[in-house]
Amino acid sequence: MVRQHEQSAVSSRRSLTRVAYFEADLPNDLADQMWRDPVSLVNAGETLQRTGLRHTVRVTWGSREYVIKHYQPSWWHAVKQLTSRSRASATCTATQKLADAGISTPRPTACIENRWGMLRRDSFLIYPYVEGRTLRSYFSREAKESRTTAECLWRQLRELWQQLEQQKASLADTNTGNFIVSPAGVLWVIDLDKARFHRMPTAAARYQERGWRQLLRSAAKC
């Protein structure tokens, strides 16, 4: 049996084996398909990245494009999630919080968890696709041709780290492939998996510095 509860901006659906949250701006037919069979959507999408535990695809739905991340935890991670949230749920919350703080990142429109009782299995996160090219691609091909744009991007990166400092937050993976330069020159961060919020500013600063060093190393390789 599926139970549905709607509030002003978010609707939720629950069954014995699945829990889902949908933003109001997600098309109803896409939400229905995600609820019925999210794996088929992933399998039909264009693969953007695939690792052992995560499959990221791009899906076209009508005139819109979305990214769907399918997290498939190992049994050990599934057991750990008895006392913690699924990767999709944790990433969804962190992304929404940083988007609310003014950080340019695509706001999630749906989060789905498959469950066996209290045991969380695989999970799904969907958000709008951001058109553009990666920062890695830009630095490799165009940075020397447009110094003004390159300086603008570095200024946006410094502003991003200032925003992270204000939120006492840090990013887990800051390589240049996880940032998108839009056609308008706006810098977006697209991968907030394992983003963290810290209680102590000193701990946040330590992780922020580590992330900045990783970013510099990644940029130097370009």
Side-chain angles (χ1 to χ4, degrees), residues 57-88:
V57 302
R58 179 170 63 178
V59 172
T60 300
W61 195 268
S63 61
R64 305 184 191 180
E65 289 188 307
Y66 296 90
V67 173
I68 302 177
K69 290 186 176 182
H70 183 197
Y71 302 92
Q72 298 172 286
S74 64
W75 276 104
W76 170 240
H77 285 92
V79 171
K80 287 177 62 178
Q81 288 175 174
L82 286 171
T83 57
S84 63
R85 308 173 70 181
S86 69
R87 179 69 64 82

Side-chain angles (χ1 to χ4, degrees), residues 98 103-106 127 130-139 153-154 156-161 163-164 170-182 186-192 208 211-212 214-216 218-219 222:
L98 291 177
I103 290 177
S104 294
T105 187
Y127 56 83
V130 177
E131 190 67 40
R133 60 173 26 185
T134 65
L135 190 61
R136 175 184 298 151
S137 173
Y138 177 83
F139 280 152
L153 292 174
W154 278 111
Q156 291 183 65
L157 284 168
R158 290 192 293 270
E159 291 173 353
L160 169 61
W161 254 255
Q163 290 174 304
L164 293 173
S170 63
L171 308 180
D173 187 358
T174 56
N175 76 78
T176 49
N178 287 335
F179 298 86
I180 296 292
V181 183
S182 76
V186 176
L187 190 70
W188 290 74
V189 54
I190 59 171
D191 192 345
L192 295 182
Q208 290 157 4
W212 185 257
Q214 181 190 9
L215 176 66
L216 294 180
S218 181
C222 302

Side-chain angles (χ1 to χ4, degrees), residues 132-153:
R133 60 173 26 185
T134 65
L135 190 61
R136 175 184 298 151
S137 173
Y138 177 83
F139 280 152
S140 298
R141 301 179 184 180
E142 298 184 17
K144 294 181 180 179
E145 300 176 6
S146 178
R147 182 179 180 86
T148 301
T149 303
E151 291 176 347
C152 177
L153 292 174

